[in-house]
Amino acid sequence: MAMLIQRASALTIVVCLTSALLWSCATAQEVEDESEFNYIKGSKKGPTRWGEIKKEWATCNNGDMQSPIDLSSKRVKVVKSLGQLKRKYKPSMAILKNRGHDITQAHWHSLSEHTLNGRSYELEVHLVHQSSNPDAKYPIAVVGVFYKIGRPDPFLAKMSRKIKELGEAKEKNAGRIDPRGIKMGGEKYYRYMGSLTVPPCTEGVIWNINKKVQTVSREQVSLLRSAVHDSAERNARPIQPHNGRHVDLYDPNPTHIIN
């Protein structure tokens, strides 16, 4: 993975979001060394075997709130009560780090991990956040954004030279990065309870998937994939069982609300 990390004081942090729930920057609970698993179908280290590799990864196979899922219109309830996601990002010095399968925290998956009514998109970025409240019932929140092929993404365009220079190196100073450049657009988003999509597949993650689809060029997708240097055609975990979970769609001006 290649990964975008931001630093503050002695704490290594990731691109951070402050929402209506007041999330702050913190290191996420995803595994750091991703050479221990892969995305190759049928492999001993592949997605269906992640829960067997380490006992602390058992949730990957045994959990009942795993991510990603298909965001099917049949399961969506339109609501107004969630409120807008309010971003309060600040520029800071950053490191571009290769973890083995993607670019994280923000990290980009190709193809998208979540699907919308069965459709996959070319890319999906995840912004992983952890609550500053140590007693939070659900301490991890992820904001996801879909990308389709179209105009180049401005944020990735600014990062492209650094990504190319990363090469076989494990990490590279990316200079001062402003995460507000990661476009979201629109106010509508899906929310559901799920998990991290890489080991240890921790559950109790609040997922917020932006409804508006952004654009990315084919060249940018190819650059991200070439920077990873893994043998998988995609770094996306397969869709997981829904297990009766409900999905909310925040819409500030809905034409109708499903009770």
Side-chain angles (χ1 to χ4, degrees), residues 182-230:
I182 299 177
K183 286 188 174 182
M184 294 195 186
E187 299 178 328
K188 301 177 184 179
Y189 63 91
Y190 299 93
R191 175 173 288 178
Y192 79 97
M193 293 299 300
S195 74
L196 297 177
T197 63
V198 298
C201 307
T202 306
E203 296 190 333
V205 173
I206 302 175
W207 277 93
N208 306 274
I209 308 293
N210 203 278
K211 189 174 189 295
K212 184 176 178 61
V213 179
Q214 300 298 325
T215 61
V216 64
S217 70
R218 293 189 186 278
E219 292 76 15
Q220 289 177 324
V221 174
S222 297
L223 176 62
L224 290 171
R225 294 301 301 136
S226 63
V228 169
H229 300 299
D230 64 10

Side-chain angles (χ1 to χ4, degrees), residues 1 14 17 31 63 65 73 81 88 140 153 157 159 170 175 182-183 190 199 217 224:
M1 271 184 195
V14 299
L17 164 108
V31 63
M65 290 197 306
S73 297
S81 59
K88 294 183 179 179
I140 304 174
D153 176 70
M159 293 294 298
K170 290 295 183 182
I182 299 177
K183 286 188 174 182
Y190 299 93
S217 70
L224 290 171

Side-chain angles (χ1 to χ4, degrees), residues 108-167:
W108 286 263
H109 292 268
S110 175
L111 297 167
S112 66
E113 293 203 298
H114 291 85
T115 56
L116 185 56
N117 292 316
R119 175 183 175 179
S120 295
Y121 290 89
E122 292 297 324
L123 213 60
E124 180 180 343
V125 66
H126 293 163
L127 307 176
V128 184
H129 314 79
Q130 188 164 326
S131 175
S132 58
N133 179 1
D135 299 319
K137 184 177 181 180
Y138 303 114
I140 304 174
V142 182
V143 176
V145 182
F146 291 127
Y147 294 80
K148 63 183 179 181
I149 295 298
R151 296 175 62 87
D153 176 70
F155 182 81
L156 288 176
K158 292 180 180 179
M159 293 294 298
S160 61
R161 183 173 63 85
K162 295 295 184 182
I163 296 173
K164 290 176 182 177
E165 292 174 354
L166 186 62

